[in-house]
Short mmCIF file of all heavy atoms in Angstrom, two decimals:
data_model
loop_
_atom_site.label_atom_id
_atom_site.label_comp_id
_atom_site.label_asym_id
_atom_site.label_seq_id
_atom_site.Cartn_x
_atom_site.Cartn_y
_atom_site.Cartn_z
N VAL A 230 95.38 -92.32 192.52
CA VAL A 230 94.31 -93.11 191.90
C VAL A 230 93.85 -94.21 192.84
O VAL A 230 92.65 -94.48 192.97
CB VAL A 230 94.75 -93.70 190.54
CG1 VAL A 230 95.84 -94.74 190.69
CG2 VAL A 230 93.55 -94.33 189.82
N ASN A 231 94.76 -94.82 193.57
CA ASN A 231 94.35 -95.90 194.46
C ASN A 231 93.58 -95.36 195.65
O ASN A 231 92.64 -96.00 196.14
CB ASN A 231 95.57 -96.70 194.93
CG ASN A 231 95.26 -98.17 195.03
OD1 ASN A 231 94.86 -98.80 194.05
ND2 ASN A 231 95.42 -98.74 196.22
N TRP A 232 93.98 -94.19 196.13
CA TRP A 232 93.25 -93.58 197.24
C TRP A 232 91.80 -93.31 196.84
O TRP A 232 90.87 -93.59 197.60
CB TRP A 232 93.94 -92.29 197.66
CG TRP A 232 93.12 -91.46 198.61
CD1 TRP A 232 92.52 -90.27 198.36
CD2 TRP A 232 92.80 -91.78 199.97
NE1 TRP A 232 91.85 -89.81 199.47
CE2 TRP A 232 92.00 -90.72 200.48
CE3 TRP A 232 93.11 -92.85 200.81
CZ2 TRP A 232 91.52 -90.71 201.78
CZ3 TRP A 232 92.63 -92.83 202.12
CH2 TRP A 232 91.84 -91.77 202.59
N HIS A 233 91.60 -92.79 195.64
CA HIS A 233 90.23 -92.52 195.19
C HIS A 233 89.46 -93.81 194.97
O HIS A 233 88.24 -93.86 195.18
CB HIS A 233 90.24 -91.67 193.93
CG HIS A 233 90.49 -90.22 194.19
ND1 HIS A 233 91.75 -89.68 194.19
CD2 HIS A 233 89.64 -89.21 194.50
CE1 HIS A 233 91.68 -88.39 194.48
NE2 HIS A 233 90.41 -88.07 194.67
N LEU A 234 90.14 -94.86 194.57
CA LEU A 234 89.45 -96.15 194.42
C LEU A 234 88.98 -96.68 195.77
O LEU A 234 87.93 -97.31 195.86
CB LEU A 234 90.38 -97.17 193.75
CG LEU A 234 90.55 -97.03 192.24
CD1 LEU A 234 91.59 -98.01 191.73
CD2 LEU A 234 89.23 -97.24 191.52
N THR A 235 89.74 -96.44 196.82
CA THR A 235 89.30 -96.90 198.15
C THR A 235 88.03 -96.18 198.58
O THR A 235 87.23 -96.73 199.34
CB THR A 235 90.39 -96.66 199.22
OG1 THR A 235 90.61 -95.26 199.39
CG2 THR A 235 91.69 -97.34 198.84
N LEU A 236 87.86 -94.95 198.11
CA LEU A 236 86.66 -94.20 198.46
C LEU A 236 85.45 -94.64 197.65
O LEU A 236 84.31 -94.57 198.11
CB LEU A 236 86.89 -92.69 198.24
CG LEU A 236 88.07 -92.07 198.99
CD1 LEU A 236 88.18 -90.59 198.65
CD2 LEU A 236 87.91 -92.26 200.50
N ASP A 237 85.71 -95.10 196.41
CA ASP A 237 84.62 -95.44 195.50
C ASP A 237 84.26 -96.92 195.50
O ASP A 237 83.22 -97.30 194.95
CB ASP A 237 84.98 -95.03 194.07
CG ASP A 237 85.10 -93.53 193.91
OD1 ASP A 237 84.41 -92.81 194.64
OD2 ASP A 237 85.90 -93.07 193.07
N THR A 238 85.13 -97.75 196.09
CA THR A 238 84.91 -99.19 196.04
C THR A 238 84.40 -99.67 197.39
O THR A 238 85.04 -99.41 198.42
CB THR A 238 86.22 -99.93 195.69
OG1 THR A 238 86.74 -99.38 194.48
CG2 THR A 238 85.96 -101.41 195.49
N PRO A 239 83.31 -100.39 197.43
CA PRO A 239 82.75 -100.82 198.72
C PRO A 239 83.53 -101.95 199.36
O PRO A 239 84.15 -102.77 198.68
CB PRO A 239 81.34 -101.29 198.33
CG PRO A 239 81.47 -101.73 196.90
CD PRO A 239 82.48 -100.81 196.28
N GLY A 240 83.48 -101.97 200.69
CA GLY A 240 84.01 -103.10 201.45
C GLY A 240 85.51 -103.25 201.38
O GLY A 240 86.25 -102.33 201.00
N ARG A 242 87.28 -104.79 199.33
CA ARG A 242 87.87 -104.80 197.98
C ARG A 242 88.42 -103.43 197.62
O ARG A 242 89.20 -103.29 196.68
CB ARG A 242 86.83 -105.25 196.97
CG ARG A 242 86.48 -106.72 197.15
CD ARG A 242 85.22 -107.07 196.41
NE ARG A 242 85.50 -107.52 195.07
CZ ARG A 242 84.59 -108.09 194.29
NH1 ARG A 242 83.37 -108.27 194.70
NH2 ARG A 242 84.91 -108.47 193.08
N GLY A 243 87.99 -102.40 198.36
CA GLY A 243 88.53 -101.07 198.12
C GLY A 243 89.92 -100.89 198.66
O GLY A 243 90.65 -99.99 198.22
N ASN A 396 79.70 -102.09 187.17
CA ASN A 396 79.82 -100.68 187.53
C ASN A 396 81.15 -100.40 188.21
O ASN A 396 81.76 -99.34 188.00
CB ASN A 396 78.66 -100.27 188.45
CG ASN A 396 77.34 -100.21 187.72
OD1 ASN A 396 77.31 -100.01 186.50
ND2 ASN A 396 76.24 -100.39 188.44
N LEU A 397 81.59 -101.35 189.04
CA LEU A 397 82.88 -101.20 189.72
C LEU A 397 84.01 -101.09 188.71
O LEU A 397 84.94 -100.29 188.87
CB LEU A 397 83.12 -102.39 190.66
CG LEU A 397 84.49 -102.45 191.35
CD1 LEU A 397 84.71 -101.21 192.21
CD2 LEU A 397 84.59 -103.72 192.19
N VAL A 400 84.09 -97.62 187.34
CA VAL A 400 84.62 -96.68 188.34
C VAL A 400 86.14 -96.74 188.36
O VAL A 400 86.83 -95.71 188.41
CB VAL A 400 84.06 -97.02 189.74
CG1 VAL A 400 84.84 -96.28 190.84
CG2 VAL A 400 82.58 -96.64 189.83
N GLN A 401 86.70 -97.95 188.28
CA GLN A 401 88.15 -98.11 188.30
C GLN A 401 88.79 -97.51 187.06
O GLN A 401 89.83 -96.85 187.14
CB GLN A 401 88.50 -99.60 188.43
CG GLN A 401 88.14 -100.19 189.78
CD GLN A 401 88.38 -101.69 189.82
OE1 GLN A 401 88.45 -102.36 188.79
NE2 GLN A 401 88.51 -102.22 191.02
N GLY A 403 87.58 -95.08 185.24
CA GLY A 403 87.47 -93.63 185.37
C GLY A 403 88.52 -93.07 186.30
O GLY A 403 89.13 -92.01 186.03
N ALA A 404 88.80 -93.76 187.42
CA ALA A 404 89.82 -93.31 188.35
C ALA A 404 91.20 -93.36 187.71
O ALA A 404 92.04 -92.48 187.95
CB ALA A 404 89.80 -94.18 189.61
N LYS A 407 91.61 -90.32 185.55
CA LYS A 407 91.87 -89.14 186.38
C LYS A 407 93.32 -89.10 186.83
O LYS A 407 93.94 -88.04 186.90
CB LYS A 407 90.95 -89.14 187.60
CG LYS A 407 89.49 -88.87 187.29
CD LYS A 407 88.66 -88.93 188.58
CE LYS A 407 87.17 -88.73 188.28
NZ LYS A 407 86.36 -88.86 189.52
#
Side-chain angles (χ1 to χ4, degrees):
V230 66
N231 217 58
W232 169 250
H233 282 91
L234 283 175
T235 65
L236 303 179
D237 294 330
T238 306
R242 291 165 91 169
N396 289 335
L397 174 60
V400 167
Q401 291 175 340
K407 289 179 183 177

